[in-house]
Amino acid sequence: MPETMTTQPAAAAGEQRAATTIDITDLTCTFTSKRKRTTALTDVSLSVEAGEFVSIVGPSGCGKSTLLKIVAGLVPPSSGDVRLLGNPVTGPQREIGFAFQRAALLEWRGVRANILLQAEMRNMDKRQAAARADQLIELTGLTGFESALPHELSGGMQQRVALCRALLHEPPVLLMDEPFGALDALTREHMNVELHRIWRETGTTVVLVTHSIAEAVYLGQRVVVMTPRPGRIERVYDVDLPAVRDYGATMSSSTFEELAREIRVLLGASGHHG
Amino acid sequence: MPEVISRAAPPAPETDEAPARRTAAQRVIQLLDAVWRPALLLVLLVFGWWAITAAEVFPAYLVPAPGDVANELIEEREMLARHTWVTTYETVLGFLLAAAIGMLAAVLIVYSPTLEKALYPLILFAQVIPKIAIAPILVVWFGFGPMPKVILAVLIAFFPVVVSGVAGLRSTDPELLDLSATMGASRWKTFRKIRFPNALPHLLSGLKVAVTLAVVGAVVGEFVGADEGLGYVLLLASGNLNSSLLFADLILMSALGVVLFVMVEVAEKLLIPWHASRRQGVPLTTS
């Protein structure tokens, strides 16, 4: 889907910035409640290139979800600089697709109508959006369930709908906050394979926050490991695996196993969670 | 990935097609099944009532026989229909106004913290003040026409609308609001497509309470000062010790409340079938 990159207006501005899609510099985020101040993130700096797939792993409460929300402009940072497609992030960003841990679907809408919410909110061309929705429904294997309501779907299918919705407007950037966290292991593997394929086919820049080391390594070109609160970037691994990855072959490759073990040790050493 | 789908599929076709295929006969059976228990109870109660009057436990001017009441309903049908219409008109108008004003207040409260601080104490005050005590003032201000009754119905009915509306609008999943923000949606669009439909189940249960209260408001208004309406007939009948008419009037008032309640329930079924049918739980977040 080469048209993905041409539809977004920021592409021209991004070119002279060496195609850096997300640029985070010295980011700090502190929440103040009545009782105490919590530092969620300190000194986070990260750049994500266009078309890259970056996974972020870390123990619970390390601020990785907060980091994603800051990039999306949903949470303001306390200090530091965040740029998306070359523009400073000051409010909610429109040039992104966001997938949440829960599917966050509208209960009263069927699959297709839920996906098309994106188009309605953005005033997209109706016919184009409908065609694109059909395409995505087919791509994610939701054919035959177009009018099913969310409560009639399994967790995996709900997440597919959420994924379709996040991709409908062909966003240059896809931010995913533990989208498969609530799924069973088998469904999760299938979704990983699908996400890998979708990323390959659309060339979208993806940032995936996850608890699963296997998921992070299988999907990511780079894996960012974070420390427990206050969240910092502990290490960034380059994943030395082929761009097109077969699930079974990748899982049993020595490169995968070594990297996964290394990350596991690192996470085990930096906290009790894993 | 066909194997994933086949594993996930079973619930969908069943819930999807079963209601559409139901035949008329099955519907009748279902309706009878829902109705026979309360109907039987009602028959037993009427029988007990009849037994008491037949045994002349109480004098007839205190407790009329069911047959006398039925006679009254038939013989005075024109007069009773006219007064029922008046009360219905006052109730429905009061209810609709209460629904509109209550919703508006709920929206203002949810969207503006300043207005919440200003409005909420006033609304609470309007709720705790004894409505029956205001009725005479309203009659002094607005006379014997339908106006004071409608206002009383509004005053009584709008509180549950406000409370349920606020609860409904506040119950929106914050992730849906975040999502809406990343879609660049305007506040109005977020309200129309996400917040309002999400609030409907709450709101409708508030409206069901409100509609029964609206009847009370209208009737109380008629007690205080009226020359027509079921409340007026009730006062007249009790003044004349006409217990048959009194009971007939009471039956009509209850019937009015029930009919209006059922109408809101039907509206609920039509508006939020997705909610009523929500039986299989949606998987919850794990961490």
Side-chain angles (χ1 to χ4, degrees), chain B residues 128-205:
Chain B
V128 295
I129 194 167
K131 249 66 82 190
I132 300 166
I134 324 177
I137 306 171
L138 292 176
V139 173
V140 171
W141 286 350
F142 301 105
F144 282 75
M147 182 75 121
K149 291 86 179 175
V150 173
I151 292 175
L152 214 57
V154 171
L155 283 176
I156 288 190
F158 104 121
F159 192 69
V161 181
V162 177
V163 172
S164 63
V166 168
L169 290 171
R170 286 230 167 108
S171 75
T172 317
D173 185 347
E175 289 193 338
L176 278 174
L177 297 178
D178 277 351
L179 186 81
S180 188
T182 66
M183 291 173 172
S186 64
R187 274 179 146 202
W188 166 238
K189 251 186 173 171
T190 308
F191 175 78
R192 198 157 54 90
K193 295 196 184 268
I194 297 178
R195 282 198 116 153
F196 183 69
N198 187 72
L200 272 178
H202 275 98
L203 186 66
L204 279 157
S205 51

Side-chain angles (χ1 to χ4, degrees), chain B residues 17-209:
Chain B
E17 292 166 32
R21 280 192 195 151
R22 204 187 296 143
T23 62
Q26 276 172 316
R27 270 173 205 222
V28 171
I29 289 169
Q30 205 185 23
L31 187 69
L32 284 178
D33 187 57
V35 158
W36 75 266
R37 273 163 277 238
L40 183 67
L41 187 66
L42 192 68
V43 168
L44 285 175
L45 282 174
V46 172
F47 179 77
W49 173 16
W50 172 81
I52 287 170
T53 53
E56 288 179 24
V57 181
F58 306 107
Y61 68 88
L62 289 184
V63 182
D68 296 344
V69 175
N71 266 341
E72 197 74 31
L73 276 172
I74 294 162
E75 277 168 24
E76 299 290 345
R77 62 182 176 278
E78 269 170 40
M79 181 272 282
L80 285 172
R82 186 162 55 80
H83 289 291
T84 307
W85 162 245
V86 171
T87 307
T88 307
Y89 161 79
E90 292 162 355
T91 304
V92 171
L93 193 61
F95 168 69
L96 292 178
L97 282 171
I101 296 169
M103 262 312 290
L104 188 69
V107 170
L108 291 176
I109 283 172
V110 169
Y111 276 88
S112 160
T114 318
L115 276 174
E116 180 187 359
K117 279 178 201 142
L119 276 179
Y120 208 74
L122 278 182
I123 289 171
L124 197 67
F125 179 73
Q127 172 60 11
V128 295
I129 194 167
K131 249 66 82 190
I132 300 166
I134 324 177
I137 306 171
L138 292 176
V139 173
V140 171
W141 286 350
F142 301 105
F144 282 75
M147 182 75 121
K149 291 86 179 175
V150 173
I151 292 175
L152 214 57
V154 171
L155 283 176
I156 288 190
F158 104 121
F159 192 69
V161 181
V162 177
V163 172
S164 63
V166 168
L169 290 171
R170 286 230 167 108
S171 75
T172 317
D173 185 347
E175 289 193 338
L176 278 174
L177 297 178
D178 277 351
L179 186 81
S180 188
T182 66
M183 291 173 172
S186 64
R187 274 179 146 202
W188 166 238
K189 251 186 173 171
T190 308
F191 175 78
R192 198 157 54 90
K193 295 196 184 268
I194 297 178
R195 282 198 116 153
F196 183 69
N198 187 72
L200 272 178
H202 275 98
L203 186 66
L204 279 157
S205 51
L207 288 178
K208 280 200 265 185
V209 177

Side-chain angles (χ1 to χ4, degrees), chain A residues 253-268:
Chain A
S253 74
S254 59
T255 320
F256 175 87
E257 274 177 21
E258 250 167 59
L259 188 53
R261 179 156 17 92
E262 211 173 310
I263 294 171
R264 197 163 290 122
V265 168
L266 189 63
L267 283 170

Side-chain angles (χ1 to χ4, degrees), chain B residues 90 139 144-145 149 221-229 231-232:
Chain B
E90 292 162 355
V139 173
F144 282 75
K149 291 86 179 175
E222 287 166 358
F223 278 171
V224 175
D227 44 19
E228 51 185 355
Y232 163 77

